[in-house]
Amino acid sequence: MLEKLRERLQAHAPRRLRLDLPQAAVLIPLVARPEPTLLFTRRAAHLSTHSGQVAFPGGKREFDDPDLLATALRESREEIALPAERVEILGRLSDVVSLHGILVTPYVGVIPPDLPLTPDPSELDAIFEVPVRRFLDDQRTHTDVIRVDERDYYVPSYRQDEHVIWGLSSMMLVELLAEGFGMPISLFQRPDGELRHHPARRMSAS
């Protein structure tokens, strides 16, 4: 599964957005288990913004970061104690813009199983894994409909125990599933099942 993913991501041409916005990067870590999993984090409940939200490790680019991949790897080390040398980068996905006007670049990497990862308690209160197969089987609980610049995005929402995976992380996940695993899924095709509509918003001006 992971070898085919590597081939597909190397052939993928992700969309690059030329927007004058603050930059950030995340790492989408695939854990190389016999049944591969995706690793997620949950932001600590005491934080003033995004508390309790599920995300991939990552954050804003700092002045000393030579590029956005360095940002993703630095943030992963700071947030979950993931050594950069244990990450095999397979490729990147398309840029996305967060609700707060931050331009986020996702990188996909493979990490070994059972690393001694620990969440930084100042930022996170959980690290957890979800089998990739669960997403390939499209076990969504519902679909959030988010209108951006007059276009509807159909963003799946998943539940893993007490964790809810939705929003920006799910948008990245859809591209990973479609481009990396060949799954017939799209943010722009209305799926079956329950739809939950959210207020329309506009992308920040370039």
Side-chain angles (χ1 to χ4, degrees):
M1 178 187 283
L2 295 182
E3 185 57 41
K4 186 65 175 177
L5 172 65
R6 179 185 290 105
E7 293 174 4
R8 292 181 67 97
L9 287 181
Q10 288 176 353
H12 178 44
R15 182 185 69 254
R16 297 175 184 264
L17 298 178
R18 307 300 182 187
L19 299 173
D20 184 19
L21 295 172
Q23 293 180 312
V26 301
L27 178 68
I28 301 178
L30 284 133
V31 185
R33 300 189 182 280
E35 179 69 31
T37 63
L38 278 163
L39 184 145
F40 296 88
T41 67
R42 187 179 66 199
R43 290 179 60 80
H46 67 262
L47 296 174
S48 59
T49 58
H50 307 300
S51 62
Q53 286 193 7
V54 167
F56 295 111
K60 288 185 179 179
R61 183 175 186 173
E62 294 186 356
F63 178 78
D64 291 338
D65 293 338
D67 53 33
L68 286 164
L69 175 57
T71 300
L73 293 174
R74 174 185 55 75
E75 287 282 345
S76 297
R77 183 184 69 250
E78 293 173 359
E79 289 187 352
I80 62 173
L82 173 60
E85 63 270 17
R86 304 308 303 271
V87 183
E88 178 193 358
I89 298 296
L90 301 186
R92 53 160 297 211
L93 300 178
S94 298
D95 296 335
V96 290
V97 179
S98 78
L99 183 63
H100 298 282
I102 298 173
L103 185 61
V104 184
T105 300
Y107 292 88
V108 181
V110 174
I111 64 174
D114 304 318
L115 292 175
L117 303 178
T118 54
D120 175 0
S122 68
E123 295 190 51
L124 306 174
D125 61 17
I127 301 171
F128 65 98
E129 297 177 34
V130 182
V132 173
R133 177 57 55 190
R134 180 158 187 202
F135 299 112
L136 292 174
D137 291 342
D138 204 356
Q139 295 182 29
R140 70 181 76 190
T141 58
H142 66 273
T143 301
D144 293 305
V145 184
I146 304 171
R147 172 158 283 206
V148 181
D149 294 339
E150 309 305 320
R151 185 174 195 181
D152 286 336
Y153 289 73
Y154 295 97
V155 184
S157 181
Y158 308 92
R159 180 174 287 276
Q160 175 73 17
D161 301 322
E162 73 273 25
H163 308 295
V164 177
I165 303 163
W166 71 292
L168 204 68
S169 295
S170 271
M171 293 176 75
M172 300 174 192
L173 188 52
V174 165
E175 184 177 9
L176 175 64
L177 295 170
E179 299 297 339
F181 293 100
M183 180 178 173
I185 187 172
S186 171
L187 291 171
F188 308 112
Q189 293 178 358
R190 178 173 177 160
D192 295 332
E194 179 187 354
L195 301 179
R196 297 186 186 177
H197 293 264
H198 293 256
R201 66 184 184 92
R202 299 194 67 81
M203 187 181 294
S204 298
S206 58

